[in-house]
Amino acid sequence: MAPAAFITPVAATTTRSSASAFAAGGARVGGRPAAAASVLPVVAAGGRRGRAARQLAMKVTIEESPLPNSMRGVTIHVSADEVALCYNKVVKDLQKRAAIPGFRTGKVPKKVILNHFGKATVTASAVEEVIQHTVQQALSSLSVSAIGQAQLADDVQDIVAKFEPNSELSFAIKVDVWPEANLTADYKGLVVSAEETAFDESIVDDALEQARQREAFTVLSPADAVAEIGRVAVGSLVGFYRNEDGSRGDPLPDIASGESVEIKLRMGQYMAGFVEGILGMKAGDVRDVPVEFPAESARPELRGVKAIFEVTVSALKDEVLPELNDDFARSATEHDTLEALRADIRQRLGEETDGANDAAVSKALEAALAEITEVELPETLIDEQAKTKFATMMSDFKTKGNMSDEQIKSMITQDSYQAYRKSAQKNIVKSLTANLAITKIAQLEGIEAEPAEVEEQMSLIKAEMKGKPLDDEASVRDKVVGQVLRQKVLALLKESAVVTLTAKPTEAEAAAAAAAAEADAAKEPVAAAGEA
């Protein structure tokens, strides 16, 4: 069972995100940047079993041979007829486009074309035409699934030198292929340990307190009361942009103003500085309160905006919280007793804890699988994973950090990508190894993703898109299939695994462990120098 393989056409790099397009680089032929006349076409490669040498539709024969590091060598034999067709097509295209004095466009004789452009140019173009038409066939006919971009194994100038318009042409390419995982030990009965997320009883108390606050009612505060934490201020708001000198600017949009607004005086409830600025006010007071809207504000036009609110307090109220007892449980929920309400909250929140522990066990099992799996990972596969993760990281910076396109572009450099790839490679290798081991186990156990399961997940994804089309539905479907297989394989492994849940380290213990790891890493170059 080979993982789904998709090969990215050279032209497609211009449509990727700026991060992944930069990291991808250009096409390469024979280990060097490709010249215009020798760019290899790269297509989605299927995987059909066949003989070592096969005759393809366009009078092309291929021979496969395994190469180290999960690569496949492919020798392509192009018939004389096919070579002649490609050569004549190039000449006819030149005849149609050439503007040569004394001849009408499209009516230039073949001999004149050859003299005008030169035999070397025409031959190089014909070689490109042959490669464009035959490499595509060869990749789609491989007995294994190819990944990444094919490279010429021969020097392109050597291919051009031996080209004859009416003779058979042979050349070789090499391409990375999906590696086969080799499990070196039994994957059943794995012994693993994982950090346990213990259930925190205090979160039940927090949930009950939130329920109390939702059921709270208010009464007017005494006449001499001042605004303080826990009270509710009633009044009107008029918003203004804040100038650099701290003075009022233009009015804010109407959405930021209001009359008879109830403001619950709780720290962190609103934009930074708002509650703090109201504290100490009395009924009838008017005050300018400087604030700053959060960067993740629901209103894009207000994100990070510095403003001033003219706050007029017309009244203050005290919140009255109901007592936590059986009467509260019956009035606020469907439960008859407070203990029954506690038990229900504990069960629901416990499911989140169970989910976190299950995810930790899954992670430990994947790490254990990587330890018992031997596989040759091609650089193409590692690089593609690094590009994807790098692009995702840049996207997260832009979204969560509220950064502009210009700021993101300034961070996307060859040096920054290479630094990221170096730091992430170890984890990428572990993840790929575990994924290939899971694929192997699914094959050995006959585990498949049922169409109904895949469609259910696809429906959920499409529902989240709210009618927007998926950019690449086939790719998303492949990922869903992979995730379904992963879940099934991990469920199988958990049935026989010996799992020990250990307490999470304290902050002090975690800091000490991080310091020790950093110290060990610093010693490695010294040790390596000593060994050398």
Side-chain angles (χ1 to χ4, degrees):
M1 181 188 298
F6 288 87
I7 314 304
T8 304
V10 173
T13 59
T14 59
T15 64
R16 299 178 183 175
S17 69
S18 57
S20 62
F22 173 84
R28 301 188 71 82
V29 178
R32 300 186 304 279
S38 58
V39 175
L40 288 179
V42 187
V43 297
R48 298 203 301 269
R49 296 284 176 185
R51 296 175 298 170
R54 290 180 301 285
Q55 185 74 31
L56 304 183
M58 295 178 67
K59 299 179 181 178
V60 176
T61 302
I62 69 170
E63 297 178 54
E64 293 184 48
S65 59
L67 296 176
N69 299 322
S70 192
M71 294 192 78
R72 185 61 55 103
V74 183
T75 300
I76 302 174
H77 304 287
V78 188
S79 69
D81 289 345
E82 192 66 33
V83 170
L85 285 173
C86 292
Y87 180 79
N88 291 332
K89 181 179 183 301
V90 167
V91 173
K92 288 180 181 179
D93 287 344
L94 291 174
Q95 286 176 311
K96 290 178 182 178
R97 293 184 286 108
I100 299 176
F103 297 93
R104 287 187 298 166
T105 302
K107 300 296 184 180
V108 184
K110 179 178 179 180
K111 185 175 181 180
V112 174
I113 288 291
L114 294 177
N115 290 333
H116 180 78
F117 288 101
K119 180 180 179 182
T121 298
V122 177
T123 299
S125 297
V127 168
E128 178 187 9
E129 186 73 20
V130 170
I131 291 174
Q132 291 283 352
H133 282 80
T134 58
V135 171
Q136 184 171 0
Q137 290 185 73
L139 291 179
S140 62
S141 182
L142 290 180
S143 61
V144 291
S145 295
I147 53 176
Q149 296 182 343
Q151 303 175 24
L152 278 176
D154 301 328
D155 189 291
V156 67
Q157 298 303 326
D158 292 340
I159 301 175
V160 172
K162 66 182 180 182
F163 179 88
E164 292 293 339
N166 297 295
S167 300
E168 180 181 292
L169 179 67
S170 298
F171 62 95
I173 63 172
K174 55 185 179 180
V175 64
D176 290 316
V177 297
W178 280 101
E180 182 78 12
N182 177 36
L183 299 168
T184 60
D186 192 352
Y187 52 85
K188 294 183 179 178
L190 292 173
V191 179
V192 299
S193 63
E195 289 184 356
E196 180 179 17
T197 300
F199 182 76
D200 185 358
E201 190 67 28
S202 67
I203 62 178
V204 177
D205 295 331
D206 292 341
L208 286 171
E209 184 60 28
Q210 291 174 16
R212 284 182 75 202
Q213 291 177 2
R214 286 194 299 270
E215 296 297 317
F217 60 94
T218 58
V219 296
L220 281 175
S221 303
D224 59 347
V226 298
E228 60 186 28
I229 297 300
R231 280 195 165 128
V232 176
V234 182
S236 61
L237 305 174
V238 181
F240 304 89
Y241 289 99
R242 182 166 21 128
N243 295 324
E244 290 296 329
D245 62 1
S247 61
R248 293 183 183 181
D250 294 332
L252 287 174
D254 291 341
I255 55 170
S257 302
E259 299 286 341
S260 300
V261 178
E262 287 199 350
I263 307 166
K264 293 184 178 181
L265 300 178
R266 298 172 186 163
M267 299 302 291
Q269 184 85 3
Y270 309 100
M271 71 284 288
F274 185 63
V275 170
E276 296 90 330
I278 296 174
L279 297 180
M281 294 181 69
K282 295 181 179 180
D285 286 352
V286 180
R287 180 184 296 177
D288 278 0
V289 178
V291 302
E292 183 172 344
F293 284 90
E296 64 276 8
S297 173
R299 304 291 304 200
E301 66 270 31
L302 295 178
R303 289 174 183 169
V305 167
K306 293 180 180 180
I308 290 177
F309 277 100
E310 179 190 272
V311 180
T312 302
V313 175
S314 58
L316 292 169
K317 294 182 178 181
D318 289 328
E319 277 193 316
V320 179
L321 297 175
E323 186 179 349
L324 281 176
N325 53 27
D326 291 346
D327 289 338
F328 170 78
R330 283 190 289 269
S331 64
T333 73
E334 71 277 11
H335 298 287
D336 292 330
T337 66
L338 180 61
E339 189 53 42
L341 175 57
R342 278 185 174 277
D344 180 54
I345 294 174
R346 191 179 295 110
Q347 178 182 352
R348 286 186 283 110
L349 296 178
E351 290 175 356
E352 296 180 12
T353 302
D354 292 341
N357 287 331
D358 187 66
V361 172
S362 295
K363 185 177 180 180
L365 286 171
E366 289 180 333
L369 281 179
E371 292 294 327
I372 64 168
T373 302
E374 291 180 349
V375 62
E376 289 185 335
L377 292 175
E379 282 298 312
T380 298
L381 198 54
I382 297 173
D383 205 42
E384 285 300 322
Q385 286 289 307
K387 293 170 196 171
T388 300
K389 291 180 179 294
F390 182 74
T392 300
M393 182 178 71
M394 291 295 107
S395 178
D396 288 344
F397 281 160
K398 179 179 179 180
T399 303
K400 298 177 182 178
N402 196 32
M403 300 175 72
S404 66
D405 289 340
E406 289 71 23
Q407 289 174 310
I408 293 296
K409 287 178 180 178
S410 69
M411 297 171 63
I412 302 173
T413 66
Q414 185 67 36
D415 288 342
S416 65
Y417 169 69
Q418 290 300 333
Y420 171 80
R421 190 188 190 285
K422 183 178 180 180
S423 66
Q425 178 155 337
K426 186 175 181 181
N427 287 334
I428 289 174
V429 168
K430 284 184 177 180
S431 178
L432 286 171
T433 301
N435 287 340
L436 290 166
I438 287 173
T439 299
K440 182 69 172 181
I441 294 171
Q443 179 183 17
L444 294 172
E445 296 287 342
I447 296 174
E448 296 181 353
E450 298 297 332
E453 297 173 311
V454 176
E455 290 307 319
E456 180 182 358
Q457 294 300 316
M458 289 296 295
S459 296
L460 292 174
I461 293 172
K462 290 178 180 178
E464 291 178 358
M465 296 296 291
K466 297 180 179 179
K468 295 181 181 178
L470 296 174
D471 290 337
D472 187 349
E473 184 168 338
S475 179
V476 173
R477 186 178 297 275
D478 278 350
K479 291 178 181 178
V480 168
V481 170
Q483 187 60 24
V484 171
L485 289 177
R486 175 182 176 274
Q487 292 170 352
K488 288 187 172 185
V489 169
L490 288 173
L492 172 71
L493 298 181
K494 288 171 186 175
E495 291 177 0
S496 61
V498 179
V499 180
T500 301
L501 292 176
T502 60
K504 281 189 175 181
T506 63
E507 290 186 8
E509 291 171 339
E518 185 175 345
D520 289 341
K523 293 176 183 177
E524 286 182 5
V526 177
E531 291 172 3

